Amino acid sequence: MSAHPSHMPVPDDASRLPITLPRLAEKKALGEPIVMVTAYDYPSALAVQRAGVDLVLVGDSGAMTVLGHPSTVPVGVDEMLMLSAAVRRGLRTPFLVGDLPFGSYEASDEEAVRTAQRFVKEAGCDAVKLEGGGTSVQRARAIVAAGIPVMGHVGLTPQTATALGGYRAQGRSADQAAEVARGAHALQEAGCFAVVFEAIPSAVAEAVMPSMAIPVIGIGAGPATDGQVLVFHDLLGIREGMGARFVKRYASLLDEMAAGVGEYAADVRARRYPAPEHGYSIAPGELAGLREALAAGA
Ligand code: KIV
C-alpha cells in the first residue's frame, strides 16, 4: 500500500511561518532535512504551499517540463520571469528561488546582477540560482554583493550538459570529484547561501559534506546532503517516461489527466455532458418574451 494517501486533501497550515535564510541555516545546524521542489505556475505553487515545503525553485527545467523543449538551454529570461511571477502568486511561506537561464548571466558581472535584479523586482523571487563553478563563482559573488541571495549548483549542470558529456552522473573519478568539491567550496566562499549537488555519487557527497558550512540540497546525490530537491513533474508523474534513476515517483498525474479528459470527451460525444444541472435557467415569462421577439424577427 502507498505511504502517500494521494486522495486525502492537504490543507494549508495557516500557522506556518515564512522560511528565511536564518531559518534555513538553523535547519542545517539542527540536522532537520530541508525540502525543496520545483514549481512553474500558480496551481503547482498552491500544491507545494499546501504541502509545506521549505524551498521552491522555478527551475529552468521548466523549459522541458512545461514548455516542451528538449533541453533547458532555449528558455529565456522573460519566460522564466513569467513562470516565476505566477509561482510567487501561489506561495505564502516557502523561500522562492528563480533559476537564471543559460545565456543570462555568464558574459559579465553587470549582466548577472541585472538579470538577478529582474527576478527579484519583476517576479518577486527571494533569491536566484546559477549553475557551475568557473566564471559562475565570480558572477555569484557579484550578485551577492548586490544584495541578492544566490544558490549555487554543481555536479551535473544541465545548461552545460553537452560539455559534460551528456546527462550523466559527474564526479565518478577522483579528479572529477575533486573538481565538484572545488566548485562547491568556491561557491560557498563567494557567499552563496546554499548549493545544489546534482547527480554525483552518494559517497562523494558524503565526503564533501563536512567542509560545507552552507545548506547543501541534493538531487541524485544520496542521503548525506542537508536537503533534497525533485522536479515537480518527475515526482508527480506529469511526464512521459520515468526520468533519471534518482527520481522517485509519488503519483501518476499525466495518466489521471489523460483519463479525466478522455472521460469528458466520451461524455460530450455520448451527449451525457452537459446535464441539466450544468445549465442556467430563465423564468418562463422571460422565455415566452424571447420566443415572441424571435417570431417577430428579432
Ligand atoms: O532546473 C531545475 O529544476 C534544477 C533542479 C534540478 C535543481 O536546477
Side-chain angles (χ1 to χ4, degrees):
M1 197 183 82
S2 166
H4 309 280
S6 54
H7 300 295
M8 298 276 288
V10 180
D12 192 10
D13 177 355
S15 69
R16 204 179 284 131
L17 295 175
I19 298 288
T20 59
L21 293 180
R23 178 69 187 121
L24 288 173
E26 183 185 49
K27 274 180 160 286
K28 177 179 174 81
L30 295 172
E32 288 175 18
I34 298 169
V35 181
M36 173 162 148
V37 68
T38 66
Y40 312 96
D41 58 14
Y42 181 70
S44 56
L46 291 181
V48 303
Q49 167 66 49
R50 280 211 226 170
V53 305
D54 302 309
L55 285 161
V56 174
L57 171 68
V58 183
D60 62 356
S61 50
M64 302 167 80
T65 57
V66 299
L67 300 180
H69 292 294
S71 79
T72 61
V73 168
V75 72
V77 172
D78 288 337
E79 290 169 307
M80 287 297 297
L81 290 174
M82 191 188 71
L83 302 181
S84 303
V87 171
R88 172 79 283 165
R89 290 190 280 272
L91 293 186
R92 186 176 61 80
T93 52
F95 193 83
L96 178 60
V97 183
D99 219 357
L100 301 186
F102 180 71
S104 72
Y105 61 93
E106 298 90 336
S108 68
D109 286 356
E110 291 70 27
E111 179 190 55
V113 170
R114 229 184 350 263
T115 307
Q117 284 170 337
R118 290 192 67 192
F119 275 76
V120 174
K121 281 173 78 113
E122 296 176 34
C125 288
D126 299 307
V128 295
K129 179 170 85 58
L130 47 68
E131 289 190 5
T135 57
S136 295
V137 175
Q138 176 51 32
R139 303 295 171 256
R141 191 176 288 114
I143 298 169
V144 171
I148 298 173
V150 177
M151 173 178 272
H153 184 158
V154 297
L156 173 57
T157 46
Q159 291 176 6
T160 46
T162 308
L164 297 174
Y167 288 88
R168 53 203 294 210
Q170 301 295 304
R172 299 185 88 171
S173 69
D175 283 353
Q176 263 198 2
E179 182 62 31
V180 170
R182 271 194 294 277
H185 294 149
L187 288 164
Q188 173 167 262
E189 278 152 28
C192 287
F193 73 93
V195 63
V196 170
F197 284 6
E198 178 164 354
I200 60 172
S202 308
V204 170
E206 198 179 338
V208 178
M209 281 308 290
S211 55
M212 296 304 296
I214 57 175
V216 175
I217 312 297
I219 175 164
T225 55
D226 300 300
Q228 299 292 330
V229 55
L230 276 179
V231 166
F232 186 85
H233 290 60
D234 287 346
L235 81 93
L236 293 177
I238 314 175
R239 56 166 294 154
E240 305 282 5
M242 279 303 292
R245 73 175 276 141
F246 53 72
V247 172
K248 180 170 177 186
R249 183 167 284 189
Y250 292 83
S252 296
L253 295 193
L254 186 60
D255 291 345
E256 283 200 41
M257 288 158 76
V261 177
E263 268 185 57
Y264 159 70
D267 274 0
V268 170
R269 290 183 182 127
R271 302 189 185 283
R272 283 189 297 268
Y273 176 84
E277 66 268 26
H278 302 119
Y280 297 96
S281 63
I282 181 172
E286 298 299 329
L287 187 57
L290 167 67
R291 290 195 198 290
E292 274 170 33
L294 288 174

